Amino acid sequence: MTDQSDRPILGERLTAAREEKELTQAQLAEMIGVTQRVISHWERYGVAIKSDKLVSLADALDVTTDYLLGRAD
């Protein structure tokens, strides 16, 4: 299991934004057209996300893509 402090910034910010909106992984996944497992993987490992899904995440969470990528606070 990955320690939370070892997670990439994308995973940390995605989790924080999702929790701020009080969404489950499954709810967010449904909103953007992926599975809950994909959201979990993104949150844990911060793996590459296609640009269209990154934009969908930002829109669903009311944050910017720069925030999710760690380029803005």
Side-chain angles (χ1 to χ4, degrees):
M1 180 151 91
T2 303
D3 183 326
Q4 185 169 356
S5 64
D6 292 336
R7 287 191 305 165
I9 190 80
L10 174 65
E12 290 177 14
R13 294 212 169 169
L14 176 55
T15 301
R18 178 181 57 76
E19 290 175 348
E20 177 71 24
K21 297 292 278 183
E22 298 182 353
L23 294 170
T24 65
Q25 289 178 343
Q27 289 169 323
L28 179 57
E30 185 174 333
M31 290 172 74
I32 68 163
V34 297
T35 65
Q36 179 273 327
R37 185 174 178 193
V38 169
I39 299 292
S40 175
H41 199 72
W42 288 342
E43 288 186 0
R44 277 195 239 154
Y45 306 112
V47 296
I49 298 176
K50 291 184 179 184
S51 60
D52 64 320
K53 292 302 180 189
L54 183 63
V55 170
S56 294
L57 282 170
D59 288 347
L61 297 170
D62 293 325
V63 297
T64 65
T65 55
D66 278 352
Y67 169 78
L68 290 174
L69 294 173
R71 299 186 59 170
D73 288 330

